[in-house]
Amino acid sequence: MKNGKWIFLLLAMMAALFIVLIGFSIGASSLTGVILSGIGVIAVFAIGFSQKKKMREKGLL
């Protein structure tokens, strides 16, 4: 795997973790946890898409 693609693996694992945390928060009836985990998923996806755009513009993808 190229060095630049490791960050995408890390971001995918973080997104999966936040999605699992949403499930745990729903099970624990924690609205705060659901909201924070949802914000975390959105933030990780936003970081990933912006990183992909930057790498595509530089010709690394």
Side-chain angles (χ1 to χ4, degrees), residues 16-50:
L17 175 68
F18 278 119
I19 291 170
V20 169
L21 286 174
I22 289 173
F24 283 139
S25 297
I26 290 171
S29 300
S30 172
L31 181 61
T32 306
V34 172
I35 292 171
L36 291 176
S37 298
I39 291 171
V41 169
I42 293 169
V44 168
F45 271 87
I47 292 168
F49 283 126
S50 66

